[in-house]
Amino acid sequence: VQLQASGGGLVQPGGSLRLSCAASGSIFSRYAMNWYRQVPGQERELVAGLTSGGSLKYADSVKGRFTISRDNTKNMVSLQMNSLKPEDTAVYYCNAFLSASYGGPRHYWGQGTQVTVSS
């Protein structure tokens, strides 16, 4: 599967951004879709995840502010980010995970998109 992320940018604290990730090349509905982020010098961390069965997972730091969603008819996954804080500044990566049930485990990554929260 190929992943193309978009929607990053510069936003003031308290503002909102919506990241999108378009997938192509495989059966999208079989994949768990995730958003990770990484700050230079730090490990990449899971921000939000949505399995093929609809189970959700969020990092504690974004609960109540970020919402992940997917549209299997459009092969898209989105991350709505509200009440953004400077500490949300990072490169955000779209990730697709194929479980062993579907021939995995395999991870696929999109290119990163920069999110900067600053006044």
Side-chain angles (χ1 to χ4, degrees):
V1 64
Q2 293 80 46
L3 303 173
Q4 181 70 40
S6 60
L10 173 64
V11 64
Q12 293 187 344
S16 298
L17 278 177
R18 186 176 182 87
L19 304 182
S20 295
C21 179
S24 61
S26 191
I27 303 174
F28 179 75
S29 61
R30 292 183 176 179
Y31 291 81
M33 298 303 298
N34 308 291
W35 287 96
Y36 285 75
R37 68 186 180 188
Q38 188 169 25
V39 175
Q42 298 184 17
E43 291 188 358
R44 193 170 294 187
E45 66 168 345
L46 177 67
V47 176
L50 180 53
T51 69
S52 58
S55 296
L56 290 164
K57 183 176 183 179
Y58 293 98
D60 288 342
S61 59
V62 308
K63 283 180 180 177
R65 301 188 298 120
F66 290 12
T67 303
I68 187 172
S69 61
R70 66 189 294 167
D71 186 338
N72 289 341
T73 65
K74 297 180 179 179
N75 287 9
M76 293 281 294
V77 61
S78 298
L79 184 68
Q80 178 65 41
M81 305 185 293
N82 299 328
S83 302
L84 282 160
K85 304 176 180 181
E87 51 264 42
D88 294 318
T89 296
V91 178
Y92 284 71
Y93 295 90
C94 178
N95 164 271
F97 175 72
L98 192 65
S99 72
S101 300
Y102 296 116
R106 294 182 185 174
H107 279 278
Y108 300 88
W109 295 93
Q111 90 290 2
T113 184
Q114 177 70 46
V115 171
T116 302
V117 185
S118 175
S119 56

